[in-house]
Amino acid sequence: MTPHAIDQPRSVHTGPLTVAQIRELERRTMESVPEATLMGRAARAVADEIAATVADTRHPLRGTRVAILAGSGNNGGDALLAGALLATDG
């Protein structure tokens, strides 16, 4: 009898990932999760983190100016959506 993948031990990576490893993880994830869903999750996480950081300064989110910078690698959409979420939330 052949063992199933679920029966195989999973390796746990504890160090920084290389660009190649991240690209492979993204590729495999995008096989089962729509890109728009991933973008929404990333944007929500960024918006939540920014909101929490602003809250730590004891300033209200509404009226606070925030700059979101995105690097290369299809991150512009994530940043744009994060800004839209902040504008809506704040």
Side-chain angles (χ1 to χ4, degrees), residues 1 17-18 22 27 30-31 33-35 45 49 77 80-81:
M1 185 162 117
L17 298 174
T18 66
I22 291 171
R27 184 193 65 74
M30 288 173 58
E31 289 175 356
V33 180
E35 187 174 0
E49 187 62 32
L80 184 62
L81 184 53

Side-chain angles (χ1 to χ4, degrees), residues 36-48 75 78-79 81-82 85:
T37 300
L38 295 175
M39 184 183 299
R41 289 176 184 171
R44 174 46 64 194
V46 168
D48 289 349
N75 293 311
D78 301 352
L81 184 53
L85 290 169

Side-chain angles (χ1 to χ4, degrees), residues 2-25:
T2 311
H4 297 285
I6 198 164
D7 298 325
Q8 298 297 318
R10 299 181 118 201
S11 63
V12 177
H13 188 88
T14 58
L17 298 174
T18 66
V19 171
Q21 289 171 316
I22 291 171
R23 286 188 178 142
E24 177 61 14
L25 287 170

Side-chain angles (χ1 to χ4, degrees), residues 18 28 40 44 56 63 65:
T18 66
R28 289 172 45 198
R44 174 46 64 194
D56 286 347
R65 290 179 165 224

